[in-house]
Amino acid sequence: MKDYQLIVIGAGPGGYSAALRAAKLGLHTAVVENREAGGTCLNRGCVPTKTLLHASRIFHEAKTGTHAGIHADGVCADMREVFAYKRQISEKLSAGIEGLLKSAKVDLIRGTGLILSSGAVQVTDARGGKTTYTCDNILAATGSVPAKPPIPGLELPGVMTSDELLEGCDHLYDSIVIIGGGVIGIEFATFYQELGTKVTVIEGMDRLLPTMDRELGQNLALILKKQGVEIFTNSMVQQVVQAEDGLSVRFTTKEAPHAVTGEAVLCAIGRKPYWRDAFAPDLQPETAGHSLKVDERYQTSIPGIYAIGDVSSRIQLAHVAASQGIACVEMMCGAENHTSQSVVPSCIYCHPEIAVVGMTDAEAKAAGIPCKVGKCVLGGNARTMIADTGRAFLKIVAHADSHEIIGAQFMCEHSTDMISQISQAIANHMTASQLLLAMRPHPTFEEAVSDALEDLCRKLEK
């Protein structure tokens, strides 16, 4: 008799969500994890980052008196307390996940998992002891790690990835240079700017957030520049060198050489799938680029071995991993999955927040889809005026013929809490007029959704 029906390697959002659903469906399940439960997202990613951003926002408002109408001179950020708060939140959530696994009778096996075959996993514990467990199926949810390009100098002390930066430090950096203007870079730029650090962002593409709607990146750049952040786009980093006054990042902009110096450097150019150490040398699954290749049931090229989340997904987000994990075990058990895997919201926790889902108008046009865009600039929105967040706007995209909602781009406070109504609309093929039927309360940021929908309906009727 085999030890388990399912062994999940990795206790991140994808892994623990899959394990919990598997247990609910009656599978005898184990999760193998060599670090904290919750994985990267909870311990070295989205949750710690948002915790730091919450702390920096409180500090910024206290120092500037944004809402109180006064200035609190002399307020100083205590980085030890900030990172202690971050650790407290992560540890509490991690313990909660362990509690959920225990309640569901899922065995949490501590150690590093190595897939020996489609029915066996070897676990090496902290002391080097090795134990082999047999099973019917294996689910790899090993996630991703920060990517590091072959740029000379990235190995210097003071040059960090997000993993190392989130370990914390005992003082606030006077200055930091961030390589990468994507989601990770922008959130850390926001955090340090609000604490008073001199921030420089270097992005290789023509704008910040280059994979998103052009107006989002352009508007964000204007806001950050107004706040004192120095931004270089169309810029390629050549090397990092140790200088007398800090770390000098040398780069070219339109082939012209430039250099900026910072006390610290953050390399934030993205993450890469992590799976190579999870398979025995003689067991090599098929890949798609750097990711594990999976079919529509999330099975790899090796029967009985599945993969979900960052290790195999084109979109590296915690909620995507969790949704895929649940879908995978439901199909494994012959159950029907009800969550659409094609409607994926994405959020950035800068100020104001950014949330997007579906297609931009540019993407729709490139795909040959006729579309119309409804827009609302929140200059007259009461909550936006109170929060004083700078220029905020909402864009909603609909198919010009069917009037169905196909995408949205929000840039306003609490947009990350508002975007799900658009996700629901896309998943259920709702039209702009149908979504406009809902009454939205006043005064809220959300009432601007109605304004954008009204603008969209007017354009669709022409």
Side-chain angles (χ1 to χ4, degrees), residues 35 95 231 332 352 355 370 417 427 442:
R35 299 185 72 172
I231 297 172
M332 200 182 292
D417 298 312
H442 172 80

Side-chain angles (χ1 to χ4, degrees), residues 118-131:
S118 57
V121 174
Q122 177 183 276
V123 179
T124 303
D125 62 29
R127 296 183 178 180
K130 300 181 187 297
T131 305

Side-chain angles (χ1 to χ4, degrees), residues 369-372 396-407 425-426 429-436 453 456-462:
I369 299 172
C371 67
K372 296 289 184 179
I396 303 177
V397 187
H399 194 291
D401 297 332
S402 69
H403 295 192
E404 288 185 6
I405 303 295
I406 60 174
I426 297 172
H429 305 283
M430 294 177 65
T431 65
S433 58
Q434 287 173 330
L435 193 55
L436 190 55
L453 287 168
L456 179 55
C457 286
R458 284 193 296 270
K459 293 176 179 176
L460 289 169
E461 291 166 1
K462 291 181 180 180

Side-chain angles (χ1 to χ4, degrees), residues 20 23 29 31 95-108:
L20 291 171
T29 304
V31 177
I97 291 169
E98 290 190 27
L100 289 173
L101 293 173
K102 184 176 181 180
S103 297
K105 294 182 171 53
V106 174
D107 291 342
L108 179 57

Side-chain angles (χ1 to χ4, degrees), residues 49 233 238 259 279 326 416:
T49 307
T233 55
Q238 305 299 316
F279 289 81
I326 292 170
T416 59

Side-chain angles (χ1 to χ4, degrees), residues 9 32-35 109-114 121-126 131 274 277-278:
I9 301 179
V32 179
E33 176 56 60
N34 61 4
R35 299 185 72 172
I109 302 173
R110 297 288 185 180
T112 301
L114 179 68
V121 174
Q122 177 183 276
V123 179
T124 303
D125 62 29
T131 305
Y274 176 75
D277 293 337

